[in-house]
Amino acid sequence: MEVAVTRVDRPSSPDGDGEPGAAGGLRPYSIAECRDLDAQLRRELETLDYELRGIVNRLLAEVDDAKGDAPTFLRASATVLLSVAAGLMETAAERAHEPADVAAFKDVAEDVAQWARSRKLRELLAAEE
């Protein structure tokens, strides 16, 4: 089994100019596109989501138990997860023999952040009822 991402580091472009990827290439899926994937793949993605959240929650509990700085851990964890996501996009682009579309990655990241915010708001409002 091949591991897609083995470390957290700054991805660089294939031409070495320091800018990650290129515009107009491979882009990540939107939330809507992920929801439209076939059932088996969707289950795998839900498992990934569940596992990642579990790891973050476990580590956050350890930070809390050690009286650590939980907000800093969470902010830095978001950066680490974005780095992993960027690495996954680079790997997908390499496998497809296309450049990664960094602008599309940023756009999807923003859309996902807005989706997560609205989802959280819906959960809070539902809890108040």
Side-chain angles (χ1 to χ4, degrees), residues 58-77:
R58 180 180 53 80
L59 293 172
L60 178 59
E62 290 177 15
V63 169
D64 283 338
D65 289 346
K67 306 289 190 249
D69 186 347
T72 295
F73 169 77
L74 291 168
R75 290 174 59 203
S77 294

Side-chain angles (χ1 to χ4, degrees), residues 44-57:
E44 296 296 339
L45 293 171
E46 288 169 356
T47 298
L48 176 62
D49 179 78
Y50 177 82
E51 294 289 334
L52 288 172
R53 289 175 193 276
I55 291 167
V56 170
N57 286 332

Side-chain angles (χ1 to χ4, degrees), residues 13-15 19-26 90 99-104:
S13 68
D15 58 6
E19 282 296 314
L26 195 83
E90 288 293 328
D101 185 339
V102 174

Side-chain angles (χ1 to χ4, degrees), residues 70-92:
T72 295
F73 169 77
L74 291 168
R75 290 174 59 203
S77 294
T79 301
V80 168
L81 290 171
L82 284 169
S83 174
V84 170
L88 291 170
M89 281 305 306
E90 288 293 328
T91 300

